[in-house]
Amino acid sequence: MKAGIHPEYVDTTITCNCGEVIHTRSTQPQIRVEVCSKCHPFFTGKQKFVDTAGRVERFSKKFGGTYSFQKTATPAAAGAKK
């Protein structure tokens, strides 16, 4: 490693918008994040739809409104309809 070209590795405080504070080490003294493991839907099991600029509405118009919410028929039920 060359001397003098690497950033300092310091104690870091990571702060989430939900209020969670995590202490670790990084090259930046403070880091602010929007989501963390305490509030992210994958870890909490709560689904959140964030619709920016009407993307969900545009998708629904393009594909008939129920495209992503359709249930696929099971093979047994599909054979019974013939």
Side-chain angles (χ1 to χ4, degrees):
M1 287 185 5
K2 291 186 178 181
I5 63 169
H6 299 286
E8 293 293 321
Y9 195 61
V10 296
D11 290 330
T12 302
T13 302
I14 300 173
T15 307
C16 179
N17 283 347
C18 71
E20 181 71 16
V21 177
I22 302 166
H23 298 284
T24 188
R25 292 178 53 90
S26 177
T27 57
Q28 298 177 351
Q30 290 185 352
I31 300 172
R32 295 191 177 269
V33 294
E34 294 179 7
V35 291
C36 65
S37 62
K38 298 283 184 182
C39 62
H40 193 279
F42 179 79
F43 297 108
T44 62
K46 296 178 182 177
Q47 184 81 21
K48 285 194 244 179
F49 287 108
V50 178
D51 186 16
T52 57
R55 291 182 183 150
V56 173
E57 291 174 12
R58 210 170 345 136
F59 181 84
S60 296
K61 285 180 187 177
K62 184 174 181 180
F63 291 106
T66 59
Y67 180 80
S68 62
F69 303 106
Q70 289 180 5
K71 297 191 184 242
T72 57
T74 60
K81 291 182 180 182
K82 288 182 180 179

